[in-house]
Amino acid sequence: MFVAGVDEAGRGPLVGSVVAAAVILDPNNPIEGLNDSKKLTEKKREKLFIEIKEKALAWSIAEATHTEIDEMNILQATFLAMRRAVENLKTTPHKVIVDGNQIPKGIEIACEAIVGGDATHAEISAASILAKVTRDHQMKTLDELYPDYGFAKHKGYPTKAHFEAITAHGVIDQHRRSYAPVKKALGL
């Protein structure tokens, strides 16, 4: 029975996409050290990112853009990214397990929501790592385009440094305009 773990990264930041991943692990090719991505060092996440992509039976990474987040809200955009990740798997799972307390609408496969699943279920841990590393890479790219904002460091989260950058340099196209701090910066 193929079980796909699903998790996301990037719900809280003020900028960029929300990224979701779906992973079906190979029981005959185990991956050591899987855990909630937030509990791993960046170096360990990067190593596991490569190993998961090499060893998993199937994996998929998808996103919902900052524009989609603004159009539908972060929860619905997260569910959209998760649904896209599941739909893009090259192997159809028999079951989907999702980190959190809600199941994304529109997934036509049996789903179970598991609070804290990224720390207790290897499939969700693997998805957590793929999503976080992908989003972190996006923030590093954005940092190269907009070096004054510090995206590589704070990853777009609402930190003091990020607010100071918005005050000094304004809002960029990739900021989520539906988020209160961004609205405030825009004078809305």
Side-chain angles (χ1 to χ4, degrees):
M1 184 167 112
F2 296 129
V3 176
V6 178
D7 201 3
E8 56 70 32
R11 285 181 65 168
L14 304 177
V15 68
S17 299
V18 61
V19 177
V23 178
I24 301 172
L25 293 174
D26 182 349
N28 299 315
N29 203 358
I31 301 169
E32 296 296 321
L34 291 174
N35 200 344
D36 173 359
S37 64
K38 295 178 291 298
K39 295 180 180 176
L40 301 169
T41 65
E42 182 178 0
K43 183 177 178 181
K44 181 71 172 169
R45 282 193 305 266
E46 291 284 347
K47 179 184 172 297
L48 286 167
F49 180 80
I50 294 165
E51 191 174 354
I52 293 162
K53 290 168 88 173
E54 289 172 350
K55 290 184 174 181
L57 287 175
W59 60 270
S60 171
I61 301 168
E63 64 186 78
T65 66
H66 65 281
T67 304
E68 290 172 317
I69 293 166
D70 288 339
E71 289 170 358
M72 64 182 66
N73 78 43
I74 187 60
L75 180 62
Q76 296 309 313
T78 300
F79 289 164
L80 175 62
M82 288 178 166
R83 192 168 61 249
R84 287 172 174 165
V86 171
E87 289 170 354
N88 290 333
L89 285 168
K90 67 179 182 185
T91 301
T92 302
H94 298 97
K95 182 178 181 179
V96 174
I97 55 175
V98 180
D99 184 51
N101 62 1
Q102 295 184 45
I103 296 168
K105 292 179 180 85
I107 294 179
E108 303 294 325
I109 301 162
C111 286
E112 180 183 357
I114 302 171
V115 175
D118 51 359
T120 60
H121 291 71
E123 298 87 355
I124 299 175
S125 297
S128 167
I129 292 163
L130 292 188
K132 171 117 177 82
V133 171
T134 299
R135 176 150 164 87
D136 286 356
H137 288 173
Q138 290 176 350
M139 288 298 98
K140 288 176 184 173
T141 299
L142 201 59
D143 187 70
E144 291 169 11
L145 295 171
Y146 301 96
D148 295 331
Y149 288 81
F151 294 127
K153 185 172 182 182
H154 58 66
K155 308 296 190 274
Y157 281 92
T159 63
K160 182 181 178 196
H162 192 174
F163 287 132
E164 288 171 353
I166 290 172
T167 299
H169 307 289
V171 171
I172 64 169
D173 287 345
Q174 292 86 346
H175 272 105
R176 300 172 182 176
R177 281 156 170 67
S178 60
Y179 279 39
V182 178
K183 283 182 176 180
K184 182 179 176 187
L186 291 167
L188 302 175

